[in-house]
Amino acid sequence: MIKLALIQMTCGDDLGENYDKAVGYIRKAAGQGAHIVCTQELFKSRYFCQTEDSANFDLAEEIADGSGTVAQLSDLAAELSVVIVASLFEKRAVGLYHNTAVVLDADGSYLGKYRKMHIPDDPLYYEKFYFAPGDLGYKVFRTRYADIGVLICWDQWFPEASRLAAMGGAELILIPTAIGHSAFEDQAKAAAYRDGWQIVQRGHAVANACFLAAVNRVGFEESPESGVGIDFWGRSFVADPNGQIVEQAAGDREELLICSIDLSHVEEVRKGSSFPFRDRRVDSYSGLTKLYLD
Amino acid sequence: MIKLALIQMTCGDDLGENYDKAVGYIRKAAGQGAHIVCTQELFKSRYFCQTEDSANFDLAEEIADGSGTVAQLSDLAAELSVVIVASLFEKRAVGLYHNTAVVLDADGSYLGKYRKMHIPDDPLYYEKFYFAPGDLGYKVFRTRYADIGVLICWDQWFPEASRLAAMGGAELILIPTAIGHSAFEDQAKAAAYRDGWQIVQRGHAVANACFLAAVNRVGFEESPESGVGIDFWGRSFVADPNGQIVEQAAGDREELLICSIDLSHVEEVRKGSSFPFRDRRVDSYSGLTKLYLD
């Protein structure tokens, strides 16, 4: 049994305040016995992708072992003996940026990073402007408490991503997220889309018989350009290997969601009736490496 | 808008009675305006895979345009102007059998067959004894009323199968099924597994932004060997491109489920917010053609 903590929070304009708030939650989670803590996507800032503005590239930081935010979170992980998965805006080189998550083990060691593979471009989610698609593949991090696959937001809609994480050994998939409703949307359609967001991820948990947790931001953030904005829908959740919701956060407020999960359930389900790997017809899957079959 | 009819029924020992019952439902469905009718898996017989008995190979039939059941269903489809998707036990050659579905267009023309790709082997589901894995890939049938991808039962747990059907142009995926609880199972686990069965398929509908319908058998069938058996859980359902349940049948009785669906919803969702294909990272999916990544 391990305790997983998801930090679902609002973000303001002040990066330092956002960071301090997240650190406060990480300390609180550790105080409540959490073993693994995960932030929402880009937790240090507002969701700046609502507009295409070069000035926002200055929010990015270099990500490397022993420097900057990685060093700070590493010290914190070691102090609290918790695994930390944190989503950051990475400056890889001059003019090359990624949407990246880092993993710190419970002894503070930096286990590496995952770069978001699937990049959206949707009204108010202009991510293709900011983020080069990831080039590190679907990484699994062997932490003290669990083998964790990390995906980021838009990745959550693509079954290929979760499958590859599970095939790499993930017993738990963590997905920092920033998703919500925009004023453009019809209300009924918006609710169906939001429900679909949860269903597809629960589906990944079933298909791979693993745990999956999505950590979403919450609160309304206005777009600087149009006077509209995104109402981030929160609802961070943890699903078990049968796709059942173990815990779910509120949709309208900050919440530190702490959830106990039994990782042995993964093997139990995979042996019991699920067999997510044994019967795969790998001889018939080459079409998946094409964009469409026409 | 089209009307889809799913035939969820019990089966007895008499093949002729089972067949006549299904035909009765097809006629009833057509009378109620159905455009597409789909049977459950292996609807002509009891689910014989509960034991490994060579005598059951005699239940199989050759499947070819203009002969046997195909010819009968073809005449029926033409008479009623309905598309029929029917699951049959195929004798391909002496000693070579498949779990196969055939598709008859609304003018009676035989559009071809799909052979179940993923074959289970689980207590009371000894399908690897009976069925050679399919070798026709994931076929999409362009019928008068819809472009239909057909999968069969165990395929429903594998996201690769639904994805390849959708990539082949399926706007609707039909899945004849025979799944239930066996006496071996713990009740709480059984319910979680049954819920997972629906969640994973709703997840496929979301991931591919298409309609998906599963047609399951219902009723208890005793195993000839052990005195136990399978209680087929029915619950045939139709999910829309957001994964919402449009209609669902009962779990404990026969039911002809008729459901109106608007196929234009597929394009609407795919254009609106879902983008199931545009952002796929096909350069990163080659691992899917391996059994595991180790």
Side-chain angles (χ1 to χ4, degrees), chain A:
Chain A
M1 295 289 291
I2 59 163
K3 273 192 183 176
L4 177 62
L6 314 184
I7 303 174
Q8 168 179 305
M9 62 184 225
T10 61
C11 287
D13 286 326
D14 188 309
L15 272 64
E17 281 180 16
N18 296 329
Y19 182 78
D20 290 345
K21 180 155 72 172
V23 168
Y25 279 124
I26 293 171
R27 290 190 177 281
K28 188 174 172 187
Q32 293 180 36
H35 299 92
I36 299 169
V37 188
C38 185
T39 75
Q40 69 202 28
E41 187 181 15
L42 301 168
F43 76 98
K44 290 178 69 175
S45 66
R46 285 191 184 274
Y47 180 71
F48 53 83
C49 312
Q50 291 200 58
T51 184
E52 299 192 358
D53 181 350
S54 297
N56 287 326
F57 287 117
D58 296 335
L59 296 170
E61 59 190 306
E62 288 177 38
I63 293 180
D65 195 3
S67 74
T69 307
V70 169
Q72 293 171 39
L73 293 176
S74 173
D75 289 347
L76 189 64
E79 177 197 333
L80 303 173
S81 293
V82 295
V83 172
I84 298 175
V85 177
S87 163
L88 302 171
F89 183 18
E90 179 184 10
K91 181 177 184 178
R92 182 177 183 179
V94 173
L96 181 61
Y97 306 86
H98 292 284
N99 188 328
T100 297
V102 298
V103 181
L104 295 314
D105 207 355
D107 65 357
S109 59
Y110 171 61
L111 296 182
K113 64 185 130 189
Y114 166 77
R115 291 178 175 141
K116 185 173 184 173
M117 293 290 284
H118 300 85
I119 309 294
D121 189 299
D122 216 4
L124 302 185
Y125 297 86
Y126 302 110
E127 296 198 18
K128 289 193 197 292
F129 174 76
Y130 291 103
F131 310 124
D135 60 346
L136 299 175
Y138 308 90
K139 299 181 73 172
V140 177
F141 301 90
R142 318 281 164 184
T143 74
R144 183 186 294 175
Y145 302 119
D147 292 343
I148 301 173
V150 178
L151 300 174
I152 301 174
C153 202
W154 197 231
D155 293 324
Q156 67 207 170
W157 297 88
F158 297 85
E160 293 90 347
S162 292
R163 177 65 104 196
L164 287 161
M167 287 171 61
E171 49 196 346
L172 165 64
I173 296 174
L174 292 178
I175 313 184
T177 300
I179 193 167
H181 299 302
S182 77
F184 299 145
E185 291 175 289
D186 171 275
Q187 286 302 306
K189 285 180 190 168
Y193 181 61
R194 191 191 65 214
D195 291 348
W197 170 79
Q198 190 178 75
I199 292 163
V200 73
Q201 293 179 86
R202 294 172 68 190
H204 302 328
V206 177
N208 299 294
C210 65
F211 286 91
L212 181 151
V215 194
N216 193 21
R217 134 185 333 239
V218 74
F220 181 77
E221 296 185 19
E222 197 169 15
S223 162
E225 267 187 2
S226 56
V228 297
I230 302 175
D231 190 17
F232 293 96
W233 67 51
R235 289 184 172 76
S236 303
F237 69 91
V238 181
D240 76 10
N242 284 311
Q244 307 268 320
I245 299 290
V246 187
E247 296 279 356
Q248 179 173 328
D252 58 356
R253 60 184 180 276
E254 245 174 57
E255 190 168 336
L256 175 66
L257 189 73
I258 297 188
C259 176
S260 292
I261 59 176
D262 182 353
L263 291 174
S264 73
H265 197 31
V266 172
E267 184 162 5
E268 184 192 316
V269 172
R270 287 184 184 176
K271 286 194 305 190
S273 50
S274 148
F275 306 105
F277 304 122
R278 184 193 64 185
D279 297 325
R280 293 180 68 243
R281 288 294 306 278
V282 297
D283 59 313
S284 70
Y285 294 164
S286 63
L288 293 169
T289 62
K290 301 190 189 323
L291 208 51
Y292 201 69
L293 302 172
D294 47 9

